[in-house]
Amino acid sequence: MTARMVARVLVMAVLLVAYLPVFGLLRLFGRGNGMVRSYLDWVGWLLGLRIRVEGKPVQGNALYAANHISWLDIPALGGTVRARFIAKSEIAGWSLIGWLAKIGGSVFVQRHKRSAARAQADEVTIALTEGRPVVLFAEGGTGDGIMLSPFRASLFAAANEAGVTVQPVALDYGARAAEIAWPDGAGFVREMKRMLNRPAPVYLTLHFLPPLDGATMDRKQLAVRTHAAISAALGL
């Protein structure tokens, strides 16, 4: 464990302790989303993220469909917009990480359980009507930073049913995307340590691309159109 890693973890812990009482108080009045965004913004900065935003994020009821490279994507997006995330159900059981995901408003789904697909789509549909954008990492996992995997259409059905805007969001780490990418087969703890130990800044451009009308396209059309838009933005 390096001094850099220890320092970053300690500062994150101190910030969390400072933020939680204020967050808890604001939650009593139905607020607090701004605190989540602010904390994730600090986490991203401490991890070396230096973010440039292109385009205008859609506000309110919307689905952000994004590519997924690294767990750095979470503080990058969550620290830029007041959004909640669609996350795999296993994360809910990851002690501190799962707890933070829950209080941040994540929607947990069992991606490999077909029998639960209808109920999970309903949960996402409800989340899409609660006034806060929802982030879908549409590849269903992290990519290699070189190619963009096909987008899974199943959860786009929720955007169609809710009749909300779908905005493609391209996360562009530039020439270092493959270096930043979460390697296939690497565990969460190992990857977290790797990112905590990174000495150099991580430059990221968030491209908020022209939105699509989720009410007039079916889930397959939405998957294809968002994939094409992100591929074009990343030059793939």
Side-chain angles (χ1 to χ4, degrees), residues 124-209:
V124 177
T125 301
I126 293 170
L128 285 168
T129 64
E130 294 178 337
R132 186 177 169 193
V134 176
V135 177
L136 167 66
F137 290 122
E139 295 166 278
T142 52
D144 60 8
I146 300 172
M147 298 180 65
L148 188 65
S149 300
F151 284 3
R152 298 185 178 184
S154 57
L155 285 175
F156 281 96
N160 179 260
E161 292 173 8
V164 300
T165 297
V166 177
Q167 185 168 33
V169 182
L171 288 87
D172 185 3
Y173 289 92
R176 302 180 72 177
E179 176 190 339
I180 298 299
W182 188 332
D184 187 34
F188 175 77
V189 174
R190 173 185 165 189
E191 182 62 11
M192 180 175 65
K193 288 180 178 179
R194 186 172 77 93
M195 290 296 108
L196 285 168
N197 280 319
R198 280 190 57 82
V202 179
Y203 295 100
L204 168 65
T205 301
L206 295 177
H207 300 271
F208 288 88
L209 303 169

Side-chain angles (χ1 to χ4, degrees), residues 11-150:
V11 174
M12 288 179 202
V14 169
L15 285 172
L16 183 61
V17 170
Y19 269 65
L20 279 176
V22 181
F23 174 76
L25 181 63
L26 289 173
R27 282 289 291 271
L28 295 175
F29 300 94
R31 304 175 66 183
N33 295 336
M35 294 292 293
V36 175
R37 187 206 62 77
S38 177
Y39 179 72
L40 288 174
D41 188 31
W42 271 109
V43 168
W45 189 86
L46 287 167
L47 290 171
L49 280 172
R50 302 297 180 262
I51 298 170
R52 181 166 62 95
V53 176
E54 291 192 357
K56 184 177 181 180
V58 172
Q59 302 298 317
N61 294 331
L63 180 72
Y64 295 149
N67 59 309
H68 196 13
I69 300 293
S70 163
W71 70 271
L72 291 177
D73 301 343
I74 307 293
L77 272 171
T80 301
V81 290
R82 297 186 184 187
R84 55 201 299 195
F85 293 83
I86 297 173
K88 60 183 181 180
S89 58
E90 299 95 298
I91 292 175
W94 290 3
S95 57
L96 178 62
I97 299 296
W99 178 69
L100 289 173
K102 288 174 186 176
I103 66 173
S106 293
V107 183
F108 298 102
V109 299
Q110 294 174 296
R111 288 178 173 166
H112 301 295
K113 191 173 181 180
R114 290 177 178 268
S115 61
R118 179 66 265 166
Q120 291 169 172
D122 289 342
E123 288 183 35
V124 177
T125 301
I126 293 170
L128 285 168
T129 64
E130 294 178 337
R132 186 177 169 193
V134 176
V135 177
L136 167 66
F137 290 122
E139 295 166 278
T142 52
D144 60 8
I146 300 172
M147 298 180 65
L148 188 65
S149 300

